Amino acid sequence: MSKLVLITGAGTGIGRSISENLAGQGFSLILCGRNIDNLEKTKTKLKNPENHSTHACDIRKIRDVQSALQKNNIKSLYGLVANAGIGGENTYGEKDRWREVIETNLTGTYQTIQECLPYLKKDDAPFKKVVILSSILARLGVPGYSAYCSSKAGLLGLTRALAAEHSGNKILINALCPGWVNTDMAQEGIDGFADALKVTKEQAYQEAMKQVPLGKMSEPEEIAQFISYLFSEQQTSLTGQTIDINNGALMP
């Protein structure tokens, strides 16, 4: 069985933690992201770094994804973690970021999965695995985040459709919806919240956590550990599912 996994957005945050965890489990990794320096930093942190490769890749560009796969001369893939994405607000008008966010988070993820599917189908594992990183904002509306909320909600529909389409190939496709996770993106969000409220960052953090029953952010390692289970050979029953990890911030 192949132990090869492609991870997008592997240079920082959740993607880096996922990479460290899966490498520790013995997987060989293709690390993709837009910043090659960040990817190389991730690689240095991995067990047996010589077993992993890095590729600068903008998932909006199909050719970038194809290149990351072809340069490795791989025959098959055991799994894909579609983690790459961008955040932030958007406002309708001349400088609207709608297209940038949708093309990255939704279209880019769709293209990445489609390019990986032929390799997943060829793998001899009884079940192959795809995990898509969505967000709690796929389920909630937030003023000023119409593009981000829409892109992340779209990923849930994509998960269900592809899981149904490729069940016959024994490719299990699931989505995770993390809430607040202690990453650079989250810290930037707290900074923006503090600016809007004209309070300190600590005060903004405490205010944000009032909406979270457990009163805390998750750590990236927690998300990585859950993905490790989804990628285990023992996991053969979950597909087409949306799994919420949010410290109780949303209880659907």
Side-chain angles (χ1 to χ4, degrees), residues 147-166:
Y148 187 79
C149 290
S150 297
S151 69
K152 293 299 186 177
L155 290 176
L156 304 188
L158 180 66
T159 297
R160 291 188 292 269
L162 292 180
E165 185 176 341
H166 296 286

Side-chain angles (χ1 to χ4, degrees), residues 66-85:
Q66 292 172 336
S67 178
L69 291 163
Q70 292 167 0
K71 282 183 178 178
N72 284 276
N73 195 31
I74 66 172
K75 303 301 182 185
S76 66
L77 277 176
Y78 173 74
L80 163 67
V81 181
N83 171 66

